[in-house]
Amino acid sequence: MMKKLLFIIPILFLVTGCYNYRELNDLAIVSAISIGMDNDEFSVTIQVVNPKKEQDTSSSNEPDFITYKNNGKSLQEVFRYIVKESPKKIYAAQMQILIIDEDVAKEKLEDILDFIARDPEIRNEFAVLISKDKDLLDVLTPLDNISSQNILDSLKSDNNYLGINNIVTFNDLLSNYENNKIDLALPSIELKGDLNKGSNEESLESSSSDCSIVLSTMGVFKDNKLQGYLTDKESIGYNLIMDNVTNTLIKNEYKDGKYIVNELVKVNSSLEANPKKNKIKISLKGNAAISEVNYNIDLSEEKNIKKVEKKLNNEIESLIKTTINNIREKYDSDIFGFEDLYYKTDPEYYKLIKDKWDTDIYKSIDIEVDSNVEIVEQGNILGRLKNE
Amino acid sequence: MENIKMIVERLKKDTNNVEDITYREKVVCKKRITLIYTEPLTGSDKISDFIVRSLDKINKLNKNKNLLDAIKNDIDNFKYKEIYNYEDICYYLNYGFTIILIEGESTYLALETKRDLARSISTPQTENSLRGAMDSFVEDMQTNLGLIRRRIKDNNLWIKSNEIGRYTKTKVNILYINGICKEKYVDLVDKELKKIDIDGIISCGTIKNLIQKENKSVFPTIITTERPDRVSRALLSGKIVIMTDSCPFALILPVCINDLFLAVEDAYSKSVNISMTRIIRYCAFFISLLTPALYIAVTTYNQEMLPTQLLISFASQRSTVPFPAFFEAIIMMVAFEILRECDLRLPTFTTSALSIVGALILGEAAVNAGIVSPIMIIVVAITAISALLFTEPEIINGIRWYRLFFMIGASFLGIFGVVILFIFFIVRLASLESFGLPFLYPLAPTDKSGLKNSFVKFPTKDLVEREKELSDNSIKLRRRK
């Protein structure tokens, strides 16, 4: 018996035929995919890392990445046909960002989600962005040579320090997509400068590049179709409500263009719904620091700080209220998931009002904001540099 | 008279009248006596100083007494034995005794006149330690026993003697402390030793291989050591030690996996610090076992497991290498093993040439030529260094086998293959026994008192109980005061 087993075990290894064996040299590592529309066909751009570039100095004038482009009716065909052009097999498991062009986001989002979600190879943890311009992936970027990495990094910094754009991974997107009580919101990017110059190696030789990729604001969807974009302030408001923000800036405006800029740190928000009264309470807690002062106020006095604090909280409250009202009016889109919140708080009652949600209830929700942010830091100088 | 002549004739015939057995006749008190001794084994000064001189003295003083009694009484030589037959004569001759045959007596005397053939005690060569005793065993059994007796001065240090080898007649002693060691281990070892019927035992290695039942396993179930302090510590923890005459190494058994991770200087360090070292040793064990396999698995099957930046870095390094990762790894592993083997065999003054070849040609040049990738060099280096952390060569060689298995598994099934083989590996270890002691003890079967001195070492104050499987737990190792 033992002897038989001894024979069988090595044979088992051999008959597997190296299941799924692929040498690293045979793979074209995809770092980003961008999907757009071109005359009713999908036009796909795949950004592939050029591994030779990092290895030896002799290939220093080679680009850091290569983009393959192909058009077709179905995505699977488009991807597979790229092999005609690429010497290596397309390997998308390490993909970092998916860029969806505006026109796809407006009409065909459903079609592309199926293909990507179905593919077992692709990990669903990449970030999804909307692009306002085409051929973004051709642009060469300075600090991080692979542009997708560059985009991802600036998206991360934005998410951490500015709060306008929020990282939405493909998993988040899928779960929001499948839940029809929440509308989608995705970050967006656009091109600054001249694309023809930007895709040229020379653009990297000057310190200020002629063309770069910059983050824009959050895009708003309604029924999985892109409706439009928020403003910077609305984006911050949205991310504050959704508890996506760790750091952001809020400006206290005073008369004659005077201002105090506050930096929010560690803000947490929580939503509480009362479906029967059709009311939602948003409470914010956290700390703030005063980071710039252009207003004649003596910050060494406690009561003045309290004043600033009160004004800051008012600013936040009005920011949140305007954000919600604007989105309701302009797009009629429930990107905050209020419907989902109602359903989760009181499923029984939700069933009764379900039909009236779009027409009636959503538009008339009473929003109450309770902002409770404390100023804990005033920076290294107490008052103004020069007291008038 | 006839008797003596017959014996001498028979001996001469049996030994083919070899030169180095000397026969000397002498008349003492009017009786003829014959001295027989093997020259290379005996000290001629001892014979002339003690035996011949005493015999002369006896000749002068005791004219009338019984000669045998007179010799027994008056001989200066300290150690003597009375023997009665021919076989014993041959036996003692080979041990460096001088045999005295007396005319008309059927009792013969064997007097110890052994020449000192052993070298002096020196520092340990193979098991260095930062701190710890600086003596090591030599080829002489008496000296070795002395080194142990010096440390354990108790009547309960018991020794069971065996003589193994048809021609070599090597003394093999089983040492244990009565009251700590469990009888069942002693009986088992004694039974195994008694079974051995072999032409000769030259080193303890032969005994080790003959009594070790688990020959199919690549991991050692017996530890070989040259340090008396290590042996004494093992005896105190209830282990058995086998010492072989004319071999400067002792065998310690039974052995569990944890013993392979302990070092002599552990006792000298603070337990907090040594705990960290222990953890590093265990990590090194697994690093050495798994690193090449995991590298092969992630670069040929499971690329999605790596962070993107790392994958790009791997891909760029591998882009010029024409071989599959498995083949690349095998080339480097074989090259390293050859280097290591050379290093062991070569005299010390040639090793610098070896290190230059190893470092420059195998490392630098192979990368520049595009035969191996730099990351592969790192993988092989970390693997090799981790394995060299163990002083016991058996475990380094054992790891080598399993490392190869893991690499093959990884090259066929990726991470999945490594996991399958790892389960097999653990099952294999768990099924091992060293003379009845489970190899994974104190992990499985779990023993709290043993675990206190395994992955981490508890403060010495807390090590109060002896290890259950090794000794009777009713007696405490140390009393709290």
Side-chain angles (χ1 to χ4, degrees):
Chain A
M1 185 57 203
M2 204 50 211
K3 272 190 181 164
K4 265 188 201 165
L5 263 180
L6 276 180
F7 278 107
I8 291 169
I9 291 169
I11 290 171
L12 272 181
F13 275 113
L14 293 175
V15 292
T16 53
C18 299
Y19 141 87
N20 209 13
Y21 172 81
R22 48 199 177 188
E23 203 54 66
L24 207 47
N25 301 13
D26 307 333
L27 298 179
I29 302 165
V30 175
S31 57
I33 292 176
S34 128
I35 302 174
M37 295 297 287
D38 190 9
N39 298 332
D40 240 25
E41 281 187 333
F42 288 115
S43 93
V44 173
T45 311
I46 297 181
Q47 185 184 69
V48 171
V49 178
N50 177 10
K52 258 168 75 193
K53 170 75 178 183
E54 305 215 343
Q55 174 63 6
D56 50 341
T57 42
S58 63
S59 54
S60 60
N61 47 5
E62 282 186 31
D64 286 286
F65 57 85
I66 295 133
T67 49
Y68 296 114
K69 286 175 193 170
N70 200 10
N71 288 8
K73 279 278 180 200
S74 77
L75 278 175
Q76 177 64 57
E77 280 173 316
V78 178
F79 273 83
R80 198 46 67 80
Y81 274 70
I82 283 176
V83 175
K84 283 162 86 177
E85 194 181 347
S86 153
K88 296 176 175 182
K89 188 186 175 287
I90 298 297
Y91 176 71
Q94 295 280 354
M95 188 172 127
Q96 290 183 312
I97 53 171
L98 170 69
I99 296 173
I100 302 172
D101 277 1
E102 228 172 31
D103 38 10
V104 178
K106 273 179 186 152
E107 291 156 31
K108 293 240 179 180
L109 191 65
E110 274 112 334
D111 301 348
I112 66 165
L113 291 189
D114 178 87
F115 169 69
I116 295 166
R118 199 172 290 280
D119 193 319
E121 193 180 74
I122 299 177
R123 283 189 297 190
N124 288 353
E125 281 304 310
F126 53 85
V128 185
L129 297 124
I130 305 169
S131 156
K132 293 183 180 171
D133 299 282
K134 287 194 177 292
D135 292 332
L136 268 175
L137 286 178
D138 291 346
V139 178
L140 297 172
T141 48
L143 277 179
D144 210 317
N145 292 338
I146 297 162
S147 65
S148 56
Q149 187 65 40
N150 216 43
I151 296 170
L152 189 66
D153 286 348
S154 52
L155 187 59
K156 272 181 195 162
S157 322
D158 186 336
N159 193 25
N160 287 339
Y161 305 112
L162 192 56
I164 291 180
N165 286 294
N166 158 42
I167 299 178
V168 180
T169 66
F170 192 67
N171 266 341
D172 301 340
L173 175 64
L174 277 187
S175 62
N176 282 357
Y177 175 77
E178 281 172 356
N179 184 348
N180 49 20
K181 297 185 198 72
I182 302 177
D183 280 317
L184 297 172
L186 292 175
S188 64
I189 44 175
E190 63 192 342
L191 211 58
K192 201 173 87 184
D194 184 359
L195 177 66
N196 287 332
K197 280 183 187 163
S199 58
N200 225 323
E201 191 78 23
E202 285 149 22
S203 74
L204 291 181
E205 284 168 10
S206 70
S207 56
S208 62
S209 51
D210 297 322
C211 176
S212 57
I213 304 168
V214 288
L215 288 168
S216 182
T217 53
M218 299 294 281
V220 182
F221 287 68
K222 165 84 182 164
D223 297 333
N224 299 320
K225 289 192 166 57
L226 180 68
Q227 302 296 316
Y229 300 94
L230 300 180
T231 62
D232 280 358
K233 271 197 156 181
E234 285 166 352
S235 289
I236 291 176
Y238 164 73
N239 282 323
L240 273 176
I241 297 166
M242 301 307 286
D243 202 10
N244 291 332
V245 171
T246 34
N247 283 15
T248 189
L249 302 178
I250 301 281
K251 197 155 86 176
N252 284 3
E253 306 262 9
Y254 294 93
K255 277 179 278 175
D256 307 328
K258 302 280 182 186
Y259 57 82
I260 291 178
V261 180
N262 300 288
E263 183 176 2
L264 300 193
V265 275
K266 294 186 204 158
V267 215
N268 286 315
S269 71
S270 58
L271 301 183
E272 215 179 299
N274 190 340
K276 286 189 177 130
K277 287 186 185 161
N278 200 13
K279 194 171 172 185
I280 281 183
K281 190 180 169 191
I282 301 167
S283 9
L284 276 113
K285 255 187 208 163
N287 297 337
I290 297 175
S291 46
E292 192 184 344
V293 180
N294 160 345
Y295 174 63
N296 194 9
I297 190 168
D298 183 10
L299 287 176
S300 55
E301 276 183 54
E302 182 72 20
K303 62 169 199 229
N304 283 340
I305 292 182
K306 285 283 170 231
K307 269 187 201 162
V308 177
E309 198 173 280
K310 204 176 166 203
K311 177 127 172 92
L312 169 68
N313 282 322
N314 286 339
E315 281 302 325
I316 294 174
E317 279 163 25
S318 76
L319 171 69
I320 288 176
K321 274 186 183 158
T322 25
T323 306
I324 296 178
N325 288 335
N326 283 355
I327 293 173
R328 273 200 294 207
E329 276 164 28
K330 256 195 263 172
Y331 309 111
D332 189 24
S333 158
D334 184 14
I335 55 176
F336 310 102
F338 286 160
E339 190 178 359
D340 196 48
L341 190 67
Y342 269 42
Y343 170 65
K344 276 177 185 159
T345 350
D346 196 345
E348 298 293 318
Y349 184 72
Y350 170 76
K351 269 182 202 160
L352 304 174
I353 58 165
K354 198 179 158 191
D355 298 330
K356 291 188 286 179
W357 177 266
D358 275 339
T359 50
D360 223 19
I361 311 262
Y362 181 56
K363 279 171 189 150
S364 60
I365 295 178
D366 182 17
I367 306 288
E368 188 195 325
V369 186
D370 176 22
S371 170
N372 211 344
V373 175
E374 277 177 64
I375 291 177
V376 291
E377 268 181 68
Q378 303 131 46
N380 286 347
I381 40 177
L382 280 177
R384 295 200 57 197
L385 274 185
K386 196 175 158 200
N387 266 320
E388 281 150 25
Chain B
M1 184 64 211
E2 293 304 307
N3 194 10
I4 295 177
K5 240 183 193 165
M6 258 170 61
I7 289 172
V8 172
E9 287 304 316
R10 192 174 164 195
L11 193 62
K12 279 185 176 168
K13 198 183 146 212
D14 282 356
T15 56
N16 200 17
N17 204 4
V18 283
E19 272 185 357
D20 55 1
I21 296 183
T22 310
Y23 308 86
R24 189 179 155 179
E25 298 207 337
K26 198 171 166 59
V27 178
V28 180
C29 300
K30 295 175 191 158
K31 280 192 176 176
R32 288 171 68 84
I33 63 170
T34 310
L35 302 176
I36 313 172
Y37 56 91
T38 318
E39 243 184 286
L41 291 176
T42 49
S44 53
D45 51 338
K46 276 187 186 167
I47 294 177
S48 50
D49 271 10
F50 303 126
I51 299 177
V52 178
R53 205 170 284 170
S54 323
L55 285 176
D56 286 346
K57 206 167 69 189
I58 291 165
N59 194 16
K60 278 179 203 157
L61 294 173
N62 306 295
K63 300 273 180 195
N64 308 318
K65 269 191 191 167
N66 181 331
L67 184 59
L68 181 70
D69 287 344
I71 294 178
K72 278 203 281 188
N73 212 21
D74 292 340
I75 200 100
D76 284 346
N77 215 329
F78 177 69
K79 190 174 175 185
Y80 78 91
K81 281 221 161 84
E82 289 177 41
I83 45 180
Y84 304 98
N85 54 28
Y86 175 71
E87 282 71 32
D88 281 349
I89 293 177
C90 300
Y91 177 84
Y92 283 107
L93 265 183
N94 286 326
Y95 266 90
F97 281 69
T98 301
I99 313 288
I100 301 180
L101 308 173
I102 306 164
E103 186 189 349
E105 291 280 356
S106 61
T107 308
Y108 322 120
L109 288 175
L111 300 156
E112 208 251 43
T113 48
K114 209 185 273 176
R115 188 209 293 240
D116 196 9
L117 287 174
R119 65 186 163 97
S120 60
I121 300 167
S122 55
T123 52
Q125 298 295 311
T126 57
E127 291 166 86
N128 291 328
S129 77
L130 206 58
R131 299 200 186 93
M134 288 297 169
D135 50 356
S136 69
F137 289 133
V138 293
E139 284 76 6
D140 181 42
M141 169 77 90
Q142 296 303 324
T143 315
N144 292 350
L145 287 180
L147 288 175
I148 296 170
R149 284 257 187 226
R150 197 170 77 183
R151 290 179 166 84
I152 304 170
K153 303 173 193 76
D154 198 275
N155 293 340
N156 283 317
L157 175 59
W158 285 6
I159 300 176
K160 271 194 182 176
S161 270
N162 283 290
E163 212 172 66
I164 304 174
R166 291 180 211 130
Y167 293 95
T168 57
K169 298 193 180 66
T170 315
K171 258 225 164 91
V172 178
N173 286 346
I174 307 172
L175 279 73
Y176 61 98
I177 295 184
N178 176 43
I180 300 182
C181 181
K182 280 192 176 174
E183 278 300 317
K184 63 170 186 179
Y185 295 126
V186 182
D187 292 343
L188 197 70
V189 173
D190 201 35
K191 220 163 68 189
E192 288 294 325
L193 281 181
K194 292 237 155 63
K195 269 191 217 160
I196 299 176
D197 184 18
I198 192 173
D199 277 350
I201 300 274
I202 298 301
S203 67
C204 64
T206 323
I207 292 179
K208 182 180 166 184
N209 286 330
L210 286 173
I211 62 172
Q212 196 160 239
K213 276 183 188 164
E214 300 81 7
N215 263 337
K216 277 180 198 158
S217 153
V218 295
F219 285 117
T221 49
I222 295 179
I223 287 181
T224 318
T225 181
E226 59 166 348
R227 302 186 61 107
D229 52 344
R230 197 170 176 195
V231 163
S232 310
R233 203 178 291 278
L235 285 171
L236 286 175
S237 68
K239 297 207 164 136
I240 297 170
V241 171
I242 299 179
M243 307 206 62
T244 316
D245 198 12
S246 56
C247 174
F249 290 95
L251 303 176
I252 301 176
L253 68 156
V255 164
C256 54
I257 192 160
N258 193 37
D259 295 325
L260 303 169
F261 290 90
L262 307 187
V264 187
E265 63 257 38
D266 286 9
Y268 291 83
S269 309
K270 294 189 99 178
S271 27
V272 194
N273 297 343
I274 213 65
S275 297
M276 185 75 181
T277 319
R278 292 268 173 85
I279 293 167
I280 290 172
R281 283 187 201 138
Y282 272 93
C283 289
F285 177 73
F286 287 109
I287 289 174
S288 173
L289 209 57
L290 293 172
T291 320
L294 288 179
Y295 172 75
I296 292 171
V298 292
T299 52
T300 55
Y301 288 92
N302 304 83
Q303 289 95 347
E304 66 278 357
M305 289 185 71
L306 290 172
T308 311
Q309 292 296 308
L310 192 62
L311 183 79
I312 293 170
S313 160
F314 277 10
S316 71
Q317 293 184 45
R318 278 203 47 79
S319 63
T320 51
V321 180
F323 307 117
F326 175 71
F327 193 58
E328 190 193 356
I330 289 287
I331 294 176
M332 287 312 292
M333 295 311 301
V334 169
F336 170 73
E337 289 302 333
I338 293 173
L339 269 182
R340 187 169 80 94
E341 194 59 22
C342 287
D343 196 35
L344 285 178
R345 302 283 156 259
L346 281 175
T348 37
F349 50 83
T350 35
T351 44
S352 62
L354 195 70
S355 46
I356 289 172
V357 170
L360 290 184
I361 302 188
L362 285 177
E364 189 80 30
V367 170
N368 286 342
I371 295 171
V372 290
S373 51
I375 183 74
M376 195 68 231
I377 303 269
I378 296 173
V379 167
V380 171
I382 186 81
T383 309
I385 289 173
S386 303
L388 292 179
L389 190 137
F390 301 96
T391 48
E392 177 74 34
E394 284 294 0
I395 191 165
I396 304 179
N397 299 346
I399 290 173
R400 202 164 57 183
W401 269 114
Y402 272 107
R403 187 189 301 148
L404 184 67
F405 283 146
F406 281 124
M407 279 160 72
I408 294 173
S411 71
F412 280 111
L413 288 169
I415 293 284
F416 183 53
V418 176
V419 170
I420 289 178
L421 282 178
F422 195 77
I423 294 169
F424 173 78
F425 171 71
I426 295 291
V427 169
R428 195 79 189 85
L429 280 188
S431 65
L432 258 184
E433 275 190 352
S434 168
F435 297 88
L437 177 74
F439 194 57
L440 284 188
Y441 175 83
L443 270 180
T446 318
D447 175 12
K448 269 188 195 163
S449 55
L451 276 176
K452 281 183 180 172
N453 191 8
S454 56
F455 297 116
V456 291
K457 192 187 173 201
F458 278 57
T460 317
K461 268 191 258 170
D462 293 347
L463 302 175
V464 206
E465 282 170 351
R466 296 203 180 109
E467 288 168 42
K468 248 182 233 158
E469 292 283 324
L470 282 169
S471 60
D472 190 0
N473 214 21
S474 62
I475 312 160
K476 301 252 167 166
L477 175 72
R478 187 186 153 281
R479 279 210 184 85
R480 277 184 217 264
K481 274 185 180 166

